[in-house]
Amino acid sequence: MKQYIFNIHDVVLLMTAAECLLLAVFQSILPTRARHDGRLLTAFLLIIAVASACTLILWNDQFSLAPWFEQTLLPYLLFAALLLKGPAIYLYVCSLTQQKLSLNHRHILHLLPALVGLLCIAFFSISSNDLRHASDAGQSLPSTAIEFVWDLASLVPFAYAVAALLRIRRYRHALKDEYSHFSETELHWLSALTWGVCIAWSWTMVVHVVAKFSSDVVADYMGIADNYLAFILINAFFAYSLTYAHQLLITKPEEETRETSSEEEPSEPAIAKVRNAMEGDRIFLKKNLNLEQFSERIDLPAKEVSAVINKHFGTNFFEFVNSYRVETAKALLSDPEKADMTVLDVLLESGFNSKSAFHRFFSRLVGMSPTEYRKQALAAADAS
């Protein structure tokens, strides 16, 4: 009878490892940008390649490698990869969403979970056979250590995925503090992918828990589904890197943001300058206006302008500027002499440069679409 070395599920792992290696090579030869996102994505791809290859070798019974590699070195490679994939994806998200992310000595702390796992493997001399038969080893101390390492490998990546989601949430708030317009498409895709990672790694945790209390068959099928999810996510992240990642707007480092938020109450002259720029100079009519441009125009530091908008006006830069734009659009839409202007003309005249953003923001503030508002306003003008 013909013996097959790999079944279809093994092939998925093999394809994941091979594709990650190819994509990492391709990513490394792309033009280098100032940010670290390309290098961090390459690191993430290599880590997933190692994790997939080691998982395949650990659980495949049809072929064997040198004993020193398969029994001794393999656990170190496997758990180093499993415990580093979380920090890699978190730092990748940080590099996409933060201006001039500089990797420094503080980021070494992200290596601690991997270091703890590897020290545990070394101290208890855990081999591949131990990892495969952890549930059969009883309640001895080495068995507890093996369970701890597996628990760590399932919990740490999930915790980092949640941290990446929180980082994206902070990034969205930072965009609203610094820009009057930004595209939601790239941000939605990054959120969706990070949610995908969070769901996939939460599934890994579920598989790990189920494996302790159910049959091996159920655990195997759930683990196979986990491998398919990893394959899909790798392709999605690489496609995102090529298509959307470079279009994300950068924001200030979090240290500067915290410094701004701790400022004292803004002065009256600063408040007057900001108000005059909006009501007198109508600076909000400038398309794609951002905080830096605004601050240069009125000759105030950006952090002082931000403090005025946040603390005195009680809003963020995005809401502040676009509320003035909506008021201008309302005036144009309700003017009988401007009835021949199209909605597109109105939004451009008001400082917006995106039809979808204009409709979304106008409807939220006014409670109806621009077309409905125009009909009601013109009807009221005719009646009077």
Side-chain angles (χ1 to χ4, degrees):
M1 180 180 291
K2 186 182 293 184
Q3 284 277 6
Y4 292 98
I5 298 178
F6 300 114
N7 60 35
I8 185 63
H9 310 304
D10 292 336
V11 171
V12 171
L13 280 172
L14 191 61
M15 286 176 60
T16 301
E19 186 174 6
C20 283
L21 289 174
L22 290 173
L23 293 179
V25 171
F26 183 70
Q27 180 69 38
S28 66
I29 64 176
L30 289 176
T32 304
R33 298 192 290 269
R35 294 183 291 186
H36 291 291
D37 54 290
R39 289 183 283 272
L40 286 167
L41 180 59
T42 300
F44 176 66
L45 290 169
L46 291 174
I47 288 169
I48 297 299
V50 172
S52 299
C54 290
T55 301
L56 174 63
I57 295 169
L58 179 66
W59 297 106
N60 189 293
D61 296 320
Q62 303 304 317
F63 72 99
S64 59
L65 301 174
W68 66 268
F69 178 86
E70 190 169 345
Q71 293 299 320
T72 306
L73 185 58
L74 183 64
Y76 290 96
L77 291 175
L78 174 61
F79 282 95
L82 293 177
L83 291 167
L84 287 175
K85 66 180 183 179
I89 203 64
Y90 173 73
L91 291 175
Y92 173 64
V93 170
C94 288
S95 69
L96 287 176
T97 57
Q98 184 176 320
Q99 182 183 21
K100 297 178 182 176
L101 174 70
S102 56
L103 299 176
N104 52 47
H105 62 279
R106 289 180 302 171
H107 293 101
I108 296 176
L109 294 174
H110 294 295
L111 300 178
L112 282 178
L115 183 60
V116 170
L118 296 183
L119 286 175
C120 191
I121 291 172
F123 186 81
F124 291 100
S125 300
I126 298 173
S127 68
S128 293
N129 282 337
D130 295 328
L131 295 176
R132 285 169 56 103
H133 303 100
S135 59
D136 302 328
Q139 299 298 318
S140 62
L141 186 60
S143 176
T144 304
I146 295 167
E147 286 297 320
F148 170 75
V149 173
W150 277 119
D151 290 344
L152 199 65
S154 63
L155 178 61
V156 168
F158 174 72
Y160 272 100
V162 172
L165 285 173
L166 294 175
R167 171 64 223 173
I168 293 171
R169 184 182 178 184
R170 293 196 299 272
Y171 172 64
R172 186 183 293 274
H173 291 308
L175 286 176
K176 291 187 175 183
D177 281 331
E178 297 181 39
Y179 295 92
S180 66
H181 171 78
F182 57 90
S183 173
E184 293 277 356
T185 304
E186 296 83 9
L187 191 53
H188 285 328
W189 272 107
L190 181 59
S191 296
L193 284 173
T194 310
W195 269 109
V197 169
C198 193
I199 292 169
W201 291 349
S202 64
W203 177 258
T204 302
M205 289 179 55
V206 171
V207 172
H208 178 63
V209 172
V210 168
K212 294 181 179 183
F213 304 104
S214 69
S215 66
D216 291 341
V217 175
V218 173
D220 285 345
Y221 276 111
M222 293 181 70
I224 288 167
D226 190 21
N227 297 335
Y228 279 83
L229 281 174
F231 180 72
I232 294 169
L233 283 171
I234 285 300
N235 285 276
F237 259 103
F238 188 75
Y240 178 83
S241 174
L242 291 180
T243 309
Y244 293 120
H246 62 284
Q247 300 178 31
L248 285 172
L249 296 171
I250 55 175
T251 59
K252 293 179 182 177
E254 291 184 354
E255 291 77 8
E256 291 186 27
T257 306
R258 286 194 291 267
E259 180 184 343
T260 299
S261 63
S262 63
E263 290 274 321
E264 297 179 356
E265 288 297 320
S267 64
E268 287 300 325
I271 295 170
K273 275 191 173 184
V274 171
R275 181 181 283 114
N276 182 64
M278 299 299 285
E279 297 175 3
D281 299 337
R282 294 166 63 86
I283 192 175
F284 60 86
L285 295 178
K286 176 179 171 60
K287 295 176 176 60
N288 294 321
L289 180 68
N290 62 39
L291 185 64
E292 292 292 336
Q293 295 167 344
F294 189 102
S295 62
E296 289 175 9
R297 180 77 173 266
I298 65 174
D299 195 27
L300 274 179
K303 63 181 181 180
E304 192 169 356
V305 174
S306 181
V308 170
I309 294 171
N310 295 158
K311 297 187 176 181
H312 180 76
F313 291 99
T315 186
N316 55 53
F317 184 75
F318 178 81
E319 301 279 343
F320 183 64
V321 172
N322 285 304
S323 62
Y324 276 90
R325 290 173 174 172
V326 167
E327 290 302 317
T328 302
K330 286 169 63 179
L332 292 172
L333 291 168
S334 59
D335 187 351
E337 295 182 3
K338 305 288 186 180
D340 59 333
M341 289 182 69
T342 66
V343 173
L344 179 60
D345 292 332
V346 169
L347 74 90
L348 294 174
E349 190 76 17
S350 305
F352 288 96
N353 65 350
S354 165
K355 190 174 180 179
S356 61
F358 171 65
H359 280 269
R360 183 171 61 250
F361 205 87
F362 190 98
S363 297
R364 182 164 66 81
L365 288 188
V366 183
M368 64 184 76
S369 70
T371 304
E372 291 170 333
Y373 178 83
R374 168 176 266 175
K375 287 179 180 178
Q376 290 189 15
L378 293 180
D382 290 339
S384 61

